Amino acid sequence: MKNIVLIGMPGAGKSTLGVLLAKALGRPFVDTDLLIQKREGKLLQSIIDQKGIQYFLTIEEEVILELEINNYVVATGGSVVYSQKAVNWLKKYGVVLYLSLPFEEIRKRVQNIKTRGVAMEKGQSLEALFMKRVPLYEQYADITIDCVGLTMEQVVELMVTEFN
């Protein structure tokens, strides 16, 4: 059985939906952001503030390349798509689901952009980040889940249908 890998913007619900999907399918769950925090002993935002975005992206890639899991639900950080090597590794052992939402919905959901540990350049807007990442999510996705207007439960139902 392959892993189910969730990608998407901050605020798309990767971590929350990942836990719910894992429960619904009876699979273990892992969140790569939590693995990064455990490895570094710091919150994501502290890593970015103290060591910079490039360091963070390097650690993110290393953590993913060290994953030896099978049949898991995996929530990734939104910046995982900046590493083709990491995404290829995830795709080799899993199916990649892109949780798609329009910018306005992401903007409503992400109120703490400066503190939540998002890999974005100084002065970069959330909209600019969205415009940069969406083509990458679309490129790497095996399946796109359009989450517009759906409850968490409805999104999980859609995902479960894909894998049962």
Side-chain angles (χ1 to χ4, degrees), residues 46-104:
S46 295
I47 298 166
I48 292 167
D49 290 345
Q50 293 169 15
K51 300 200 174 176
I53 292 172
Q54 195 50 56
Y55 177 86
F56 174 82
L57 295 174
T58 299
I59 295 301
E60 181 175 48
E61 180 181 88
E62 288 174 2
V63 163
I64 287 168
L65 295 177
E66 291 168 2
L67 284 177
E68 292 185 16
I69 56 175
N70 187 34
N71 203 32
Y72 272 65
V73 174
V74 181
T76 63
S79 55
V80 70
V81 291
Y82 292 148
S83 169
Q84 187 173 359
K85 196 172 181 182
V87 174
N88 287 341
W89 177 260
L90 291 167
K91 288 175 77 67
K92 180 177 179 181
Y93 299 103
V95 177
V96 176
L97 270 70
Y98 165 38
L99 302 176
S100 175
L101 283 168
F103 174 70
E104 282 307 312

Side-chain angles (χ1 to χ4, degrees), residues 84-147:
Q84 187 173 359
K85 196 172 181 182
V87 174
N88 287 341
W89 177 260
L90 291 167
K91 288 175 77 67
K92 180 177 179 181
Y93 299 103
V95 177
V96 176
L97 270 70
Y98 165 38
L99 302 176
S100 175
L101 283 168
F103 174 70
E104 282 307 312
E105 184 63 26
I106 295 296
R107 186 181 56 74
K108 282 184 211 166
R109 292 181 181 197
V110 179
Q111 300 299 317
N112 58 343
I113 194 73
K114 301 292 185 207
T115 58
R116 82 180 279 158
V118 177
M120 57 193 296
E121 301 296 331
K122 293 263 189 264
Q124 184 178 31
S125 69
L126 181 60
E127 188 170 16
L129 187 73
F130 181 88
M131 299 305 287
K132 182 177 180 180
R133 288 187 181 178
V134 166
L136 295 171
Y137 297 139
E138 291 172 347
Q139 173 187 339
Y140 291 126
D142 295 311
I143 299 168
T144 297
I145 304 288
D146 184 353
C147 302

